[in-house]
Amino acid sequence: MRYLIATELVKKSRIDQLDFNNIPLGKTFTDHMFVCDYKDGAWHDPRVEPLHLVPTHPAAMALHYGQAIFEGMKAYKNLEGQPILFRPEMNAKRLNKSADRMGMPGFPEELFVEGLKHLVATDQAWIPTDEGSALYLRPFMFADEAFIGMRAATSFKFIIIASPSSPIFSKRIKLKAEPQYIRAAHGGTGEAKAAGNYAAAIKPTEIAKNEGYDQVLWLDAHDHKYIQEVGTMNIFFQIGDDFITPKLDGSILAGITRDSVIQLLRSEGYRIKEKLISIDEIKEAHVTGQLKEAFGTGTAVGITFIEGIAIGNDYLKLSEDNPVAKNIKEKLHQIKTGKIEDKFNWVVEVNEALV
Ligand SMILES: Cc1ncc(COP(=O)(O)O)c(C=O)c1O
């Protein structure tokens, strides 16, 4: 199905105010946004328009009952200077999974990808091209109906905004296995990219940072024993010759980087198991010298190496040598930025002439 996406361009672009060498992270937004409204049981008026404030009624249901979900992804330019997206249909599917769990309407997946393409084509001049930089894209949906009462809202907004970032270079991070707070329980919303999941993670993350760690390593809600994920990343370990990562059990986010790394590792001949991983298994592998690598995966930096993990009074210091993960990180980055052949068909080109 072809969607008609109306476009209203800014009278004057703000791009000449942007210093591409020094873009404040998460604070700079492109000229335009994509917007679509849900009313009377259907999505209406998909459009690209100048970035603007979104009027909010004080009774908007997202503010009270938390029907708010989001996605995150990046656009790059390939060697020919054409804008490209990485597996956007996966984000569309995940948004709809989140919407379903949160009692929100699904958004047509094709329109999700078309909306992204239109916004990226419109603001293509904002895609930074320095190594490590990108145009971050943030699709999100929230309940904007003004109503006090506990039920599913009947009107929603779906919006995509875009934010360029200067090169982000990842450092090795220190994790704290969280002994008290939890992120998600079985039957909860852990698998959804719901705003409330992040709200609940803020305080424990601040505590961990004040104690000198970079991120929280979340453990299961029942036993505080099984590893879930890290901040905004999924986690992988190499034990002996094999890789393991927590299986998708409904309480962790199905990361698109996670899925891509699993496929890349398999394509290089590594064995990888998605399974229940206990903190004791990791401790044991560390003691016996079998724990070779540990890394996080996520859109922000692809692969992030882990320096060590604090578990109670123990600190498991990990090797600085991450040959396999370094190789996979580089390959993933080269595919995402269109520098090497994409035999997985992950990259989606954006027609620059869409606007
Ligand atoms: C809680 C959580 N886990 C994992 C991830 C990694 O997901 P992805 O690889 O799709 O960025 C993210 C980031 O979106 C996240 O917020």
Side-chain angles (χ1 to χ4, degrees):
M1 179 171 172
R2 267 201 74 73
Y3 291 95
L4 205 62
I5 298 178
T7 302
E8 181 197 338
L9 298 179
V10 288
K11 296 207 168 59
K12 183 170 174 356
S13 171
R14 286 177 285 106
I15 199 159
D16 52 3
Q17 296 164 23
L18 183 68
D19 173 4
F20 272 94
N21 297 315
N22 183 20
I23 309 173
L25 190 63
K27 290 185 179 175
T28 308
F29 301 95
T30 63
D31 286 326
H32 299 91
M33 64 203 267
F34 174 86
V35 187
C36 198
D37 307 304
Y38 184 86
K39 254 189 214 89
D40 303 324
W43 288 100
H44 302 278
D45 301 329
R47 58 204 184 269
V48 169
E49 51 190 29
L51 182 80
H52 59 77
L53 298 182
V54 180
T56 311
H57 192 285
M61 291 176 81
L63 299 179
H64 302 264
Y65 309 111
Q67 277 187 308
I69 55 175
F70 68 97
E71 274 302 320
M73 55 208 299
K74 285 178 172 178
Y76 299 89
K77 279 186 178 165
N78 65 16
L79 291 173
E80 288 77 47
Q82 181 174 20
I84 50 176
L85 300 170
F86 184 72
R87 310 186 74 185
E89 70 292 343
M90 295 280 285
N91 294 91
K93 285 195 170 65
R94 191 169 66 186
L95 180 97
N96 281 341
K97 228 175 160 183
S98 303
D100 182 58
R101 176 63 185 86
M102 304 306 287
M104 300 165 77
F107 192 76
E109 287 173 17
E110 264 181 75
L111 182 56
F112 180 101
V113 176
E114 280 301 302
L116 281 167
K117 285 182 174 173
H118 273 72
L119 181 64
V120 168
T122 308
D123 283 336
Q124 57 190 279
W126 291 79
I127 305 175
T129 49
D130 280 354
E131 190 55 30
S133 62
L135 182 65
Y136 183 79
L137 299 163
R138 167 56 59 85
F140 61 106
M141 189 200 295
F142 64 97
D144 65 352
E145 181 186 352
F147 179 74
I148 292 184
M150 176 52 194
R151 62 153 168 78
T154 59
S155 78
F156 295 86
K157 269 201 161 33
F158 172 81
I159 297 178
I160 310 173
I161 51 176
S163 175
S165 66
S166 289
I168 303 175
F169 295 109
S170 58
K171 58 171 189 115
R172 298 174 75 222
I173 58 169
K174 293 186 189 137
L175 303 182
K176 173 192 171 189
E178 175 54 51
Q180 179 189 356
Y181 297 104
I182 58 142
R183 178 185 173 276
H186 284 298
T189 59
E191 199 179 24
K193 208 161 161 59
N197 287 343
Y198 296 83
I202 287 174
K203 176 176 166 168
T205 307
E206 290 298 310
I207 295 173
K209 284 186 177 166
N210 286 337
E211 292 170 354
Y213 303 103
D214 298 292
Q215 282 290 343
V216 166
L217 173 64
W218 296 109
L219 303 178
D220 76 285
H222 191 262
D223 300 312
H224 282 268
K225 183 173 165 193
Y226 297 101
I227 293 174
Q228 292 184 329
E229 58 187 323
V230 176
T232 55
M233 288 184 286
N234 296 109
I235 190 162
F236 286 70
F237 301 92
Q238 185 184 12
I239 298 189
D241 291 333
D242 296 342
F243 286 83
I244 55 172
T245 189
K247 67 176 179 186
L248 302 176
D249 63 351
S251 54
I252 64 173
L253 196 79
I256 293 160
T257 320
R258 173 188 184 279
D259 182 78
S260 310
V261 165
I262 289 175
Q263 292 194 49
L264 277 166
L265 282 169
R266 289 206 172 119
S267 77
E268 304 254 319
Y270 292 100
R271 270 193 309 242
I272 162 130
K273 271 197 215 129
E274 299 173 64
K275 66 187 225 38
L276 209 58
I277 304 172
S278 78
I279 206 81
D280 293 338
E281 180 177 347
I282 298 302
K283 269 185 172 171
E284 169 78 20
H286 187 255
V287 170
T288 58
Q290 287 293 299
L291 180 58
K292 292 194 185 153
E293 298 195 31
F295 56 90
T297 63
T299 295
V301 279
I303 287 180
T304 302
F305 305 111
I306 295 167
E307 190 210 280
I309 307 174
I311 305 171
N313 293 327
D314 296 335
Y315 186 69
L316 273 51
K317 203 162 167 24
L318 298 169
S319 157
E320 270 183 55
D321 201 19
N322 301 105
V324 182
K326 271 201 183 107
N327 169 38
I328 297 291
K329 180 181 170 99
E330 189 54 25
K331 283 223 164 97
L332 180 62
H333 180 68
Q334 303 250 335
I335 295 174
K336 277 185 166 185
T337 50
K339 297 208 179 81
I340 56 171
E341 192 203 341
D342 167 28
K343 62 178 185 203
F344 299 93
N345 268 330
W346 284 337
V347 170
V348 171
E349 291 176 355
V350 175
N351 178 353
E352 294 141 286
L354 265 180
V355 275

